[in-house]
Amino acid sequence: MTIRRVLLVLAVFAMALALGAGSALAQQKVIKIGALYPLTGNLAATGLDCKRGADLAVEIINGNFDLNLPFAKGEGIPNLGGAKIEIIYADTKGDPKNGLAEAERLITQEKVVALIGAYQSSVTKTGSQAAERLKVPFVCSDSSSPTLTERDFTYFFRVSPHDGTMARNQFEFLKDLGDKQGKQIKSVALIYENTEFGANVAKMQQQYAKEFGFNVVSDIAYPANASDVTSEVGKLISAKPDVVMHAAYITDAILFTKTFKEMNLVPQGFLTMAGYIESDYLPTVKADGNFMTVRSTFALDLAKKKPMVGQVADLYMKKYGIPMGENTARSFTAPFVLADAFNRAKSTDSQAVVKALLETNIPGDQIINPWKGVQFDPKSHQNIHASAMLVQIQDEAYHTVWPFEAASRELKWPFPAWKDRK
Amino acid sequence: MDQLAQQLVNGVLIGLVYSLLAIGLTLIWGVMNVLNFAHGEFLMIGMFLSYWLYVMAGVDPLFSIPINAVALFLLGMLVYRFIISKVMKGPALAQLVVTFGISIFLANFAALVWTPNFRSIEHTLLSGTWDISGLKLSIPKFVTSIGSVATSLGLFCFLKKTRIGKAILAVEMDREAAVIMGINTERINSLSFAIGSALVGVAGALLATHYYIYPFVGGSFGTICFCIVALGGFGSIEGAFVAGILVGVVQTLGGYIFDPAYKLAIVFIMYLITVWIRPQGLRGW
């Protein structure tokens, strides 16, 4: 290396240091929250959705908006002198190992005072282990594996419903279908990707199927991100279930939908989740996604009953040019829950924040989700009000169809045969 | 029983896709002993090229096959000329790491410029399913498999019949002897890398007719392709072709008869048994 090169490298280092010092000075009245999301890899599009939701939430908290959300009016967090929130993102690449390492890095090096994320339950599991060990609050509003809140962690809180609750909701729906609409369902087939998320969904579905008296005719685990799923669909066809219940992330959701059509699998209905409600699902499969029934904690038509949802959705549309979806709505809620805790704690000290989180009581009209509010169970730290509704894809858009009282469209049941479409 | 026949057909269809991907990979390995980890990402570039040609110019993916082949041929040549040929002089580890680096770069670069969103081509010339007395045959998948057979045959004839093709085979068999015989091995390297890339470009156009397209799609095919190349025998075109079909069928039938959770395990067990009996792979030497 020549002297000139060495000097050049040194100069670049010096500039980087100067920049770092400059930003440290500017961050005096800033509260740093760390966010773990899969920003590259298979779930990069999902991670981007989540990031957008959290970004919009922070923009609303920091700025001045006329919305019925906590801290929308007036800038920053009032009890902390209008302090602003800044999110430091870390890329998990969708891998539990990185979830752990990045959580540690955010806490020890970036000095974040709380964590949000990480979408995939398997990654949230490891990330929250790091947070627990380093005594930093982790508020999760997007992972659904029940085991996460069964660990009785001190620093882990979950805003969104878990798969146990949502599996119960799905079977309540099937029962309702028989009781209220006379459409009797006897058998279900479970198909799920074999990581933390899918495997736990299936475990819960097995449990509730028994409780509600449905016959599970097939229980199929498959490796996620496969390049071909014809054998899985072949097994479903042979099992002849009334209802297919599928737990999948986005790549599998797209591939399965195409394969269902290609191999002509027509049960009475598909009860799906996660991948089927990502913002990329419908633009990719288009009309083939019609009549899928999806569990959800958000739908744009909630705006009919809660105008604030419409205002937030409009802001989102204006900022990103695409409609707000389920994942965005999930990650949107966590920053508000944390901001509310910081405000009541009048501090970002982790013990004070945990104490404030335990006393959280955000009313239902101040969140965009269709719940009665946010209040954590003192032991498990699960939001006791969280639940799921069901939406159905009709005319390439999601419409609330269950609970039947809250439906904005009538449920289309049974699932129309593929060949009769279009 | 019907399902069994159906699964066999499906296995052959996906197997032929694997074959087409694997022959490009095995050609590159055979000639210059470089394992191209960026093969899956070249596929992704091919798929995106077809996608953009469709969206911007209305070119059906079927007609973008030659465009893809030429574009990926050039890309392969450039990557060889400016990156691979440099590290060929370095240690073996550098050769291994460099294509890995290219793969990470390409996937993330694509995510940056095209966003990580999923895309698909909706109304291609090929869509729908034939129903042959209960047996479902997806038209785009069927045409893809025909394309795979045709391309593989084309490559095979090129290698056996033409002067350049014979030179490529000569380098593959014995590099030193080829040099002594006056073959410009540097040119053959560059050409093989470009041809291997062009093949994956063709596969990209064919897959774009029915598969989703996104920056990390290469990963779904990458690992299985290495297994196929190893199973077929490193460097053997026929081996890779046969092994691709074999893996497709074993994976699909195995998944159906046993449990889909183990379908990849079944493939790798088959691989282990094969290398145990024949360490050089099915057709390797």
Side-chain angles (χ1 to χ4, degrees), chain A residues 185-237:
Chain A
I185 303 298
K186 292 191 183 69
S187 61
V188 297
L190 311 182
I191 177 149
Y192 50 96
E193 56 98 42
N194 62 358
T195 72
E196 175 85 20
F197 159 64
N200 277 302
V201 167
K203 207 168 88 188
M204 288 294 153
Q205 286 172 335
Q206 279 281 9
Q207 183 190 322
Y208 285 109
K210 201 178 285 172
E211 202 177 310
F212 281 77
F214 291 94
N215 186 18
V216 178
V217 290
S218 191
D219 181 311
I220 307 169
Y222 65 88
N225 288 325
S227 49
D228 181 73
V229 295
T230 48
S231 42
E232 288 84 344
V233 177
K235 272 189 121 63
L236 285 174
I237 291 173

Short mmCIF file of all heavy atoms in Angstrom, two decimals, chain A residues 185-237:
data_model
loop_
_atom_site.label_atom_id
_atom_site.label_comp_id
_atom_site.label_asym_id
_atom_site.label_seq_id
_atom_site.Cartn_x
_atom_site.Cartn_y
_atom_site.Cartn_z
N ILE A 185 -69.52 -28.18 8.69
CA ILE A 185 -68.14 -28.59 8.39
C ILE A 185 -67.80 -29.75 9.32
O ILE A 185 -68.04 -29.67 10.53
CB ILE A 185 -67.17 -27.43 8.66
CG1 ILE A 185 -67.55 -26.19 7.87
CG2 ILE A 185 -65.73 -27.85 8.36
CD1 ILE A 185 -67.50 -26.36 6.39
N LYS A 186 -67.25 -30.82 8.76
CA LYS A 186 -66.89 -31.95 9.62
C LYS A 186 -65.38 -32.13 9.72
O LYS A 186 -64.84 -32.36 10.79
CB LYS A 186 -67.52 -33.24 9.08
CG LYS A 186 -69.04 -33.24 9.21
CD LYS A 186 -69.61 -34.62 8.90
CE LYS A 186 -71.13 -34.61 8.96
NZ LYS A 186 -71.72 -33.83 7.83
N SER A 187 -64.70 -32.01 8.59
CA SER A 187 -63.27 -32.36 8.63
C SER A 187 -62.40 -31.18 8.18
O SER A 187 -62.80 -30.37 7.34
CB SER A 187 -63.02 -33.55 7.71
OG SER A 187 -63.37 -33.21 6.39
N VAL A 188 -61.22 -31.12 8.75
CA VAL A 188 -60.24 -30.11 8.33
C VAL A 188 -58.90 -30.79 8.05
O VAL A 188 -58.61 -31.84 8.60
CB VAL A 188 -60.03 -29.02 9.41
CG1 VAL A 188 -61.30 -28.25 9.67
CG2 VAL A 188 -59.49 -29.61 10.70
N ALA A 189 -58.12 -30.19 7.16
CA ALA A 189 -56.75 -30.66 6.93
C ALA A 189 -55.82 -29.53 7.33
O ALA A 189 -56.06 -28.38 7.00
CB ALA A 189 -56.55 -31.00 5.46
N LEU A 190 -54.78 -29.87 8.08
CA LEU A 190 -53.81 -28.86 8.49
C LEU A 190 -52.56 -28.98 7.63
O LEU A 190 -52.04 -30.07 7.45
CB LEU A 190 -53.42 -29.05 9.96
CG LEU A 190 -54.56 -29.22 10.95
CD1 LEU A 190 -54.01 -29.36 12.36
CD2 LEU A 190 -55.52 -28.04 10.88
N ILE A 191 -52.12 -27.87 7.09
CA ILE A 191 -50.87 -27.87 6.34
C ILE A 191 -50.08 -26.65 6.77
O ILE A 191 -50.63 -25.56 6.85
CB ILE A 191 -51.11 -27.95 4.82
CG1 ILE A 191 -49.79 -27.88 4.08
CG2 ILE A 191 -52.07 -26.90 4.31
CD1 ILE A 191 -49.77 -28.64 2.80
N TYR A 192 -48.81 -26.85 7.09
CA TYR A 192 -48.06 -25.76 7.71
C TYR A 192 -46.57 -25.91 7.47
O TYR A 192 -46.04 -27.00 7.36
CB TYR A 192 -48.33 -25.71 9.21
CG TYR A 192 -48.18 -27.05 9.90
CD1 TYR A 192 -46.99 -27.40 10.53
CD2 TYR A 192 -49.23 -27.97 9.88
CE1 TYR A 192 -46.86 -28.64 11.14
CE2 TYR A 192 -49.09 -29.21 10.48
CZ TYR A 192 -47.91 -29.54 11.11
OH TYR A 192 -47.78 -30.77 11.70
N GLU A 193 -45.90 -24.76 7.41
CA GLU A 193 -44.44 -24.77 7.27
C GLU A 193 -43.85 -25.17 8.62
O GLU A 193 -44.43 -24.88 9.66
CB GLU A 193 -43.95 -23.40 6.78
CG GLU A 193 -44.36 -22.22 7.65
CD GLU A 193 -43.26 -21.84 8.58
OE1 GLU A 193 -42.12 -21.83 8.14
OE2 GLU A 193 -43.55 -21.56 9.75
N ASN A 194 -42.70 -25.85 8.58
CA ASN A 194 -42.24 -26.52 9.79
C ASN A 194 -41.28 -25.73 10.66
O ASN A 194 -40.35 -26.27 11.23
CB ASN A 194 -41.62 -27.89 9.43
CG ASN A 194 -40.41 -27.72 8.53
OD1 ASN A 194 -40.08 -26.60 8.16
ND2 ASN A 194 -39.74 -28.81 8.19
N THR A 195 -41.45 -24.39 10.77
CA THR A 195 -40.65 -23.65 11.75
C THR A 195 -41.54 -23.30 12.93
O THR A 195 -42.71 -23.69 13.00
CB THR A 195 -40.02 -22.38 11.15
OG1 THR A 195 -41.04 -21.40 10.96
CG2 THR A 195 -39.31 -22.65 9.84
N GLU A 196 -40.98 -22.54 13.86
CA GLU A 196 -41.68 -22.12 15.08
C GLU A 196 -43.13 -21.69 14.82
O GLU A 196 -44.06 -22.12 15.50
CB GLU A 196 -40.89 -20.94 15.69
CG GLU A 196 -41.51 -20.28 16.90
CD GLU A 196 -41.15 -20.99 18.19
OE1 GLU A 196 -40.16 -21.72 18.21
OE2 GLU A 196 -41.88 -20.79 19.18
N PHE A 197 -43.32 -20.86 13.81
CA PHE A 197 -44.64 -20.32 13.50
C PHE A 197 -45.63 -21.41 13.09
O PHE A 197 -46.61 -21.67 13.77
CB PHE A 197 -44.50 -19.24 12.41
CG PHE A 197 -45.74 -18.93 11.64
CD1 PHE A 197 -46.85 -18.37 12.28
CD2 PHE A 197 -45.81 -19.18 10.27
CE1 PHE A 197 -48.00 -18.08 11.56
CE2 PHE A 197 -46.95 -18.89 9.55
CZ PHE A 197 -48.06 -18.34 10.19
N GLY A 198 -45.33 -22.06 11.97
CA GLY A 198 -46.28 -23.03 11.42
C GLY A 198 -46.54 -24.19 12.37
O GLY A 198 -47.70 -24.60 12.57
N ALA A 199 -45.48 -24.72 12.96
CA ALA A 199 -45.62 -25.89 13.82
C ALA A 199 -46.51 -25.58 15.03
O ALA A 199 -47.34 -26.40 15.44
CB ALA A 199 -44.25 -26.37 14.27
N ASN A 200 -46.37 -24.37 15.58
CA ASN A 200 -47.19 -24.01 16.73
C ASN A 200 -48.63 -23.71 16.35
O ASN A 200 -49.55 -23.97 17.12
CB ASN A 200 -46.58 -22.83 17.48
CG ASN A 200 -45.51 -23.31 18.44
OD1 ASN A 200 -45.79 -24.12 19.31
ND2 ASN A 200 -44.29 -22.84 18.26
N VAL A 201 -48.82 -23.14 15.18
CA VAL A 201 -50.19 -22.92 14.70
C VAL A 201 -50.90 -24.27 14.64
O VAL A 201 -52.02 -24.44 15.14
CB VAL A 201 -50.18 -22.27 13.29
CG1 VAL A 201 -51.57 -22.34 12.67
CG2 VAL A 201 -49.72 -20.84 13.36
N ALA A 202 -50.21 -25.26 14.05
CA ALA A 202 -50.82 -26.57 13.88
C ALA A 202 -51.12 -27.22 15.24
O ALA A 202 -52.17 -27.85 15.41
CB ALA A 202 -49.90 -27.47 13.07
N LYS A 203 -50.21 -27.04 16.18
CA LYS A 203 -50.42 -27.62 17.50
C LYS A 203 -51.70 -27.06 18.12
O LYS A 203 -52.53 -27.79 18.66
CB LYS A 203 -49.21 -27.28 18.40
CG LYS A 203 -48.96 -28.27 19.50
CD LYS A 203 -47.61 -28.03 20.16
CE LYS A 203 -47.72 -27.02 21.29
NZ LYS A 203 -46.41 -26.63 21.82
N MET A 204 -51.86 -25.74 17.99
CA MET A 204 -53.04 -25.08 18.53
C MET A 204 -54.30 -25.51 17.78
O MET A 204 -55.35 -25.72 18.37
CB MET A 204 -52.87 -23.56 18.40
CG MET A 204 -51.87 -23.01 19.37
SD MET A 204 -52.50 -23.23 21.04
CE MET A 204 -51.00 -23.31 21.95
N GLN A 205 -54.18 -25.63 16.45
CA GLN A 205 -55.35 -26.03 15.66
C GLN A 205 -55.78 -27.44 16.02
O GLN A 205 -56.97 -27.73 16.13
CB GLN A 205 -55.03 -25.91 14.16
CG GLN A 205 -55.00 -24.46 13.71
CD GLN A 205 -54.50 -24.30 12.29
OE1 GLN A 205 -53.77 -25.14 11.78
NE2 GLN A 205 -54.89 -23.22 11.65
N GLN A 206 -54.80 -28.33 16.23
CA GLN A 206 -55.12 -29.70 16.67
C GLN A 206 -55.93 -29.66 17.96
O GLN A 206 -56.96 -30.32 18.10
CB GLN A 206 -53.82 -30.49 16.92
CG GLN A 206 -53.17 -31.06 15.69
CD GLN A 206 -53.84 -32.33 15.20
OE1 GLN A 206 -54.91 -32.70 15.68
NE2 GLN A 206 -53.25 -32.98 14.21
N GLN A 207 -55.43 -28.85 18.90
CA GLN A 207 -56.07 -28.76 20.21
C GLN A 207 -57.51 -28.26 20.10
O GLN A 207 -58.43 -28.85 20.65
CB GLN A 207 -55.24 -27.81 21.07
CG GLN A 207 -55.72 -27.68 22.49
CD GLN A 207 -54.99 -26.53 23.18
OE1 GLN A 207 -53.79 -26.32 22.97
NE2 GLN A 207 -55.70 -25.78 24.00
N TYR A 208 -57.71 -27.19 19.33
CA TYR A 208 -59.06 -26.62 19.24
C TYR A 208 -59.98 -27.45 18.35
O TYR A 208 -61.19 -27.43 18.54
CB TYR A 208 -58.99 -25.16 18.78
CG TYR A 208 -58.53 -24.25 19.90
CD1 TYR A 208 -57.27 -23.66 19.87
CD2 TYR A 208 -59.35 -24.03 21.01
CE1 TYR A 208 -56.84 -22.87 20.91
CE2 TYR A 208 -58.92 -23.23 22.05
CZ TYR A 208 -57.65 -22.65 22.00
OH TYR A 208 -57.23 -21.86 23.03
N ALA A 209 -59.41 -28.15 17.38
CA ALA A 209 -60.24 -29.02 16.54
C ALA A 209 -60.90 -30.05 17.44
O ALA A 209 -62.09 -30.35 17.32
CB ALA A 209 -59.40 -29.69 15.47
N LYS A 210 -60.12 -30.61 18.35
CA LYS A 210 -60.64 -31.61 19.28
C LYS A 210 -61.72 -30.98 20.17
O LYS A 210 -62.80 -31.51 20.34
CB LYS A 210 -59.48 -32.14 20.13
CG LYS A 210 -59.78 -33.51 20.75
CD LYS A 210 -58.60 -34.04 21.56
CE LYS A 210 -57.46 -34.56 20.72
NZ LYS A 210 -56.27 -34.87 21.52
N GLU A 211 -61.39 -29.80 20.69
CA GLU A 211 -62.31 -29.13 21.60
C GLU A 211 -63.64 -28.78 20.92
O GLU A 211 -64.71 -28.93 21.52
CB GLU A 211 -61.63 -27.86 22.11
CG GLU A 211 -62.20 -27.34 23.41
CD GLU A 211 -61.44 -26.11 23.88
OE1 GLU A 211 -60.20 -26.17 23.92
OE2 GLU A 211 -62.10 -25.09 24.16
N PHE A 212 -63.58 -28.35 19.67
CA PHE A 212 -64.79 -27.95 18.97
C PHE A 212 -65.43 -29.12 18.20
O PHE A 212 -66.44 -28.95 17.55
CB PHE A 212 -64.48 -26.81 17.99
CG PHE A 212 -64.37 -25.46 18.65
CD1 PHE A 212 -63.24 -25.10 19.35
CD2 PHE A 212 -65.42 -24.54 18.57
CE1 PHE A 212 -63.14 -23.86 19.97
CE2 PHE A 212 -65.32 -23.30 19.18
CZ PHE A 212 -64.18 -22.95 19.88
N GLY A 213 -64.81 -30.29 18.25
CA GLY A 213 -65.39 -31.47 17.62
C GLY A 213 -65.24 -31.55 16.11
O GLY A 213 -66.14 -32.02 15.42
N PHE A 214 -64.10 -31.13 15.58
CA PHE A 214 -63.85 -31.31 14.15
C PHE A 214 -62.82 -32.41 13.96
O PHE A 214 -61.96 -32.61 14.81
CB PHE A 214 -63.34 -30.00 13.52
CG PHE A 214 -64.37 -28.92 13.46
CD1 PHE A 214 -64.46 -27.98 14.48
CD2 PHE A 214 -65.27 -28.86 12.42
CE1 PHE A 214 -65.43 -26.99 14.44
CE2 PHE A 214 -66.25 -27.87 12.36
CZ PHE A 214 -66.33 -26.93 13.38
N ASN A 215 -62.94 -33.10 12.84
CA ASN A 215 -62.08 -34.23 12.55
C ASN A 215 -60.87 -33.76 11.72
O ASN A 215 -61.05 -33.23 10.63
CB ASN A 215 -62.92 -35.27 11.79
CG ASN A 215 -62.15 -36.53 11.57
OD1 ASN A 215 -61.15 -36.78 12.23
ND2 ASN A 215 -62.61 -37.34 10.62
N VAL A 216 -59.66 -33.95 12.24
CA VAL A 216 -58.47 -33.57 11.46
C VAL A 216 -58.07 -34.75 10.58
O VAL A 216 -57.58 -35.76 11.07
CB VAL A 216 -57.31 -33.17 12.39
CG1 VAL A 216 -56.07 -32.82 11.57
CG2 VAL A 216 -57.70 -31.99 13.27
N VAL A 217 -58.31 -34.64 9.27
CA VAL A 217 -58.06 -35.78 8.39
C VAL A 217 -56.64 -35.80 7.85
O VAL A 217 -56.20 -36.80 7.28
CB VAL A 217 -59.05 -35.83 7.20
CG1 VAL A 217 -60.43 -36.19 7.69
CG2 VAL A 217 -59.08 -34.50 6.46
N SER A 218 -55.92 -34.71 7.99
CA SER A 218 -54.57 -34.69 7.47
C SER A 218 -53.77 -33.62 8.20
O SER A 218 -54.28 -32.55 8.49
CB SER A 218 -54.62 -34.39 5.97
OG SER A 218 -53.38 -34.62 5.40
N ASP A 219 -52.52 -33.95 8.52
CA ASP A 219 -51.67 -33.03 9.28
C ASP A 219 -50.31 -33.04 8.59
O ASP A 219 -49.53 -33.96 8.73
CB ASP A 219 -51.58 -33.54 10.73
CG ASP A 219 -50.74 -32.63 11.61
OD1 ASP A 219 -49.63 -32.28 11.18
OD2 ASP A 219 -51.19 -32.30 12.71
N ILE A 220 -50.07 -32.02 7.76
CA ILE A 220 -48.89 -32.05 6.89
C ILE A 220 -47.93 -30.91 7.20
O ILE A 220 -48.27 -29.74 7.04
CB ILE A 220 -49.32 -31.95 5.40
CG1 ILE A 220 -50.36 -33.00 5.06
CG2 ILE A 220 -48.10 -32.08 4.49
CD1 ILE A 220 -51.02 -32.79 3.70
N ALA A 221 -46.74 -31.26 7.63
CA ALA A 221 -45.68 -30.26 7.79
C ALA A 221 -44.81 -30.31 6.55
O ALA A 221 -44.59 -31.37 5.99
CB ALA A 221 -44.83 -30.59 9.02
N TYR A 222 -44.35 -29.17 6.08
CA TYR A 222 -43.47 -29.18 4.91
C TYR A 222 -42.35 -28.17 5.11
O TYR A 222 -42.50 -27.20 5.85
CB TYR A 222 -44.27 -28.87 3.64
CG TYR A 222 -44.84 -27.47 3.63
CD1 TYR A 222 -44.11 -26.41 3.14
CD2 TYR A 222 -46.11 -27.23 4.14
CE1 TYR A 222 -44.63 -25.12 3.16
CE2 TYR A 222 -46.63 -25.95 4.15
CZ TYR A 222 -45.89 -24.90 3.66
OH TYR A 222 -46.39 -23.63 3.69
N PRO A 223 -41.21 -28.38 4.44
CA PRO A 223 -40.10 -27.43 4.58
C PRO A 223 -40.42 -26.12 3.87
O PRO A 223 -40.87 -26.13 2.71
CB PRO A 223 -38.93 -28.14 3.90
CG PRO A 223 -39.52 -29.21 3.06
CD PRO A 223 -40.88 -29.52 3.58
N ALA A 224 -40.22 -25.00 4.56
CA ALA A 224 -40.55 -23.70 3.99
C ALA A 224 -39.66 -23.38 2.79
O ALA A 224 -38.58 -23.95 2.65
CB ALA A 224 -40.39 -22.63 5.06
N ASN A 225 -40.12 -22.48 1.92
CA ASN A 225 -39.36 -22.03 0.76
C ASN A 225 -39.02 -23.14 -0.22
O ASN A 225 -37.95 -23.15 -0.81
CB ASN A 225 -38.05 -21.37 1.18
CG ASN A 225 -38.31 -20.03 1.79
OD1 ASN A 225 -39.22 -19.33 1.38
ND2 ASN A 225 -37.54 -19.70 2.80
N ALA A 226 -39.91 -24.10 -0.38
CA ALA A 226 -39.66 -25.17 -1.34
C ALA A 226 -39.84 -24.62 -2.75
O ALA A 226 -40.51 -23.62 -2.95
CB ALA A 226 -40.63 -26.30 -1.09
N SER A 227 -39.21 -25.29 -3.72
CA SER A 227 -39.36 -24.82 -5.10
C SER A 227 -40.54 -25.52 -5.77
O SER A 227 -40.94 -25.14 -6.85
CB SER A 227 -38.08 -25.09 -5.88
OG SER A 227 -37.66 -26.41 -5.69
N ASP A 228 -41.10 -26.52 -5.13
CA ASP A 228 -42.20 -27.26 -5.72
C ASP A 228 -43.04 -27.86 -4.60
O ASP A 228 -42.50 -28.43 -3.66
CB ASP A 228 -41.65 -28.38 -6.60
CG ASP A 228 -42.75 -29.17 -7.27
OD1 ASP A 228 -43.36 -28.63 -8.20
OD2 ASP A 228 -43.00 -30.32 -6.86
N VAL A 229 -44.37 -27.71 -4.66
CA VAL A 229 -45.20 -28.20 -3.56
C VAL A 229 -46.29 -29.15 -4.06
O VAL A 229 -47.33 -29.31 -3.42
CB VAL A 229 -45.83 -27.04 -2.76
CG1 VAL A 229 -44.75 -26.24 -2.06
CG2 VAL A 229 -46.68 -26.14 -3.63
N THR A 230 -46.05 -29.79 -5.20
CA THR A 230 -47.10 -30.65 -5.74
C THR A 230 -47.36 -31.88 -4.86
O THR A 230 -48.49 -32.35 -4.79
CB THR A 230 -46.76 -31.12 -7.17
OG1 THR A 230 -45.42 -31.60 -7.17
CG2 THR A 230 -46.87 -29.99 -8.16
N SER A 231 -46.33 -32.38 -4.17
CA SER A 231 -46.61 -33.56 -3.34
C SER A 231 -47.47 -33.19 -2.14
O SER A 231 -48.33 -33.96 -1.73
CB SER A 231 -45.32 -34.26 -2.91
OG SER A 231 -44.34 -33.36 -2.52
N GLU A 232 -47.26 -31.98 -1.59
CA GLU A 232 -48.09 -31.52 -0.48
C GLU A 232 -49.55 -31.42 -0.91
O GLU A 232 -50.46 -31.88 -0.21
CB GLU A 232 -47.61 -30.15 0.01
CG GLU A 232 -46.29 -30.16 0.76
CD GLU A 232 -45.07 -30.12 -0.15
OE1 GLU A 232 -45.21 -30.39 -1.37
OE2 GLU A 232 -43.97 -29.83 0.35
N VAL A 233 -49.76 -30.80 -2.07
CA VAL A 233 -51.14 -30.61 -2.55
C VAL A 233 -51.75 -31.96 -2.92
O VAL A 233 -52.94 -32.19 -2.68
CB VAL A 233 -51.17 -29.61 -3.73
CG1 VAL A 233 -52.57 -29.45 -4.27
CG2 VAL A 233 -50.63 -28.25 -3.29
N GLY A 234 -50.93 -32.88 -3.46
CA GLY A 234 -51.42 -34.23 -3.75
C GLY A 234 -51.96 -34.91 -2.50
O GLY A 234 -53.01 -35.55 -2.52
N LYS A 235 -51.24 -34.74 -1.40
CA LYS A 235 -51.69 -35.34 -0.13
C LYS A 235 -53.01 -34.73 0.31
O LYS A 235 -53.89 -35.43 0.82
CB LYS A 235 -50.62 -35.12 0.95
CG LYS A 235 -49.57 -36.22 0.98
CD LYS A 235 -48.68 -36.08 2.19
CE LYS A 235 -48.68 -37.27 3.12
NZ LYS A 235 -48.21 -38.52 2.59
N LEU A 236 -53.16 -33.43 0.12
CA LEU A 236 -54.41 -32.76 0.50
C LEU A 236 -55.58 -33.29 -0.34
O LEU A 236 -56.67 -33.52 0.18
CB LEU A 236 -54.29 -31.25 0.30
CG LEU A 236 -53.47 -30.48 1.33
CD1 LEU A 236 -53.34 -29.02 0.91
CD2 LEU A 236 -54.12 -30.56 2.71
N ILE A 237 -55.32 -33.47 -1.63
CA ILE A 237 -56.38 -33.96 -2.51
C ILE A 237 -56.82 -35.36 -2.06
O ILE A 237 -58.02 -35.65 -1.98
CB ILE A 237 -55.90 -33.98 -3.98
CG1 ILE A 237 -55.72 -32.53 -4.48
CG2 ILE A 237 -56.89 -34.72 -4.88
CD1 ILE A 237 -55.11 -32.41 -5.86
#
